[in-house]
Amino acid sequence: MSKPLVAITGASSGIGAETARAFASAGHPVLMMAQRLERMKAMRLPDSMCRKVDVRDRNQIRGAVDDAERKYGPVDMMFANAGIARLADLGRQPPEEWDEMIDINTKGVMNTVHAVLHGMMERQCGTLVMMSSIAGRKVYPDHAVYCGTKFFVHAVSESIREFLSDYNVRVLVVSPGVIETEVLSGVLDQKTLEAYKKNKAAMGGGIGADIVGKLILDAYQLPQKALVQEICLTPTRQRY
């Protein structure tokens, strides 16, 4: 292949899917990983491999990466994008929803990084893109555990970035505000969901996930010695 392999978790919709489209359009082979296999296959991207993966299982991620690398060569960019937002009033939220967010949004990110970390270190080249949120920079009502998981992503990314700088590997954090994605499908608390939708409508809606995908591609295409450490993108009318 003339361009290196990129890998994306949570690639069946939203920012993950649009990032896959952006990189495929730029000529990269793409490993797409998510639980909704048919959604990824329906995108029909050229030079793509689709694998059903639950990021809570590091062996599934490692297996998918091995399959893709045998066909396309080493992963040069890994986008740890998979996540879930179970937003709710903490007083009435079932603890099982905390478990799900913590396992997917924190352990899942680390499992994803682990699948490519040592290869990038050995090659002294590569880019890790870590999906956080503006909720990883500040707190919001009914976001307690979700914010905690995204603050984790920020903290661990800073640590990994320092560690990998000696190996010439880049670490980029993506911190979107309100984006037009399926994130609200994870909100099961109806009062929280109604409040979120009201706030979203007041700012004129979110911005397209394709904009985020293109920004990630732009940042990746910089010379390896240049790093955009964080992309924080919100609608112009998002006040906080």
Side-chain angles (χ1 to χ4, degrees):
M1 304 300 298
S2 59
K3 293 190 177 180
L5 173 65
V6 302
I8 302 169
T9 63
S12 62
S13 66
I15 293 172
E18 294 300 333
T19 302
R21 287 191 176 98
F23 276 84
S25 295
H28 290 271
V30 181
L31 168 61
M32 303 172 67
M33 296 173 282
Q35 297 206 51
R36 295 178 293 182
L37 184 60
E38 294 308 315
R39 289 279 294 268
M40 295 184 290
K41 288 182 176 179
M43 292 169 62
R44 299 183 182 279
L45 297 183
D47 293 320
S48 64
M49 181 178 291
C50 302
R51 289 290 183 269
K52 181 178 173 63
V53 164
D54 183 335
V55 294
R56 290 170 288 191
D57 186 334
R58 67 175 62 97
N59 291 325
Q60 287 186 14
I61 305 173
R62 181 67 255 176
V65 167
D66 286 345
D67 288 347
E69 290 191 329
R70 278 191 290 269
K71 183 173 183 179
Y72 298 115
V75 171
D76 193 57
M77 188 205 81
M78 172 64 87
F79 184 13
N81 170 67
I84 191 168
R86 298 286 192 217
L87 311 181
D89 180 301
L90 195 62
R92 59 177 181 263
Q93 185 174 35
E96 291 77 12
E97 293 187 7
W98 310 344
D99 295 338
E100 191 176 21
M101 281 189 287
I102 292 168
D103 286 346
I104 294 173
N105 296 0
T106 64
K107 296 178 185 177
V109 166
M110 295 309 300
N111 290 340
T112 303
V113 168
H114 185 263
V116 296
L117 178 67
H118 296 291
M120 289 182 177
M121 290 170 62
E122 289 173 3
R123 294 187 298 274
Q124 298 212 359
C125 186
T127 302
L128 297 172
V129 180
M130 314 284 272
M131 175 53 78
S132 184
S133 167
I134 196 169
R137 303 167 117 253
K138 55 182 76 177
V139 296
Y140 295 90
D142 295 353
H143 282 58
V145 178
Y146 180 74
C147 282
T149 66
K150 294 305 183 179
F151 270 71
F152 171 91
V153 173
H154 269 77
V156 78
S157 296
E158 286 294 323
S159 179
I160 294 173
R161 181 186 296 119
E162 289 187 13
F163 172 70
L164 290 179
S165 62
D166 286 341
Y167 297 90
N168 200 45
V169 176
R170 304 183 296 187
V171 179
L172 161 64
V173 178
V174 182
S175 305
V178 178
I179 309 294
E180 293 294 347
T181 71
E182 297 178 15
V183 67
L184 292 183
S185 66
V187 182
L188 306 180
D189 184 288
Q190 289 305 306
K191 289 185 178 180
T192 298
L193 182 60
E194 290 169 8
Y196 191 104
K197 287 182 175 179
K198 183 178 179 180
N199 181 54
K200 182 178 177 181
M203 67 180 71
I207 58 179
D210 60 312
I211 297 174
V212 185
K214 291 173 184 175
L215 281 174
I216 293 172
L217 175 61
D218 288 344
Y220 171 80
Q221 289 178 328
L222 292 172
Q224 187 69 26
K225 66 184 294 183
L227 168 63
V228 176
Q229 292 194 8
E230 182 178 4
I231 295 172
C232 185
L233 177 71
T234 70
T236 302
R237 293 178 61 187
Q238 182 169 345
R239 297 175 59 188
Y240 54 87

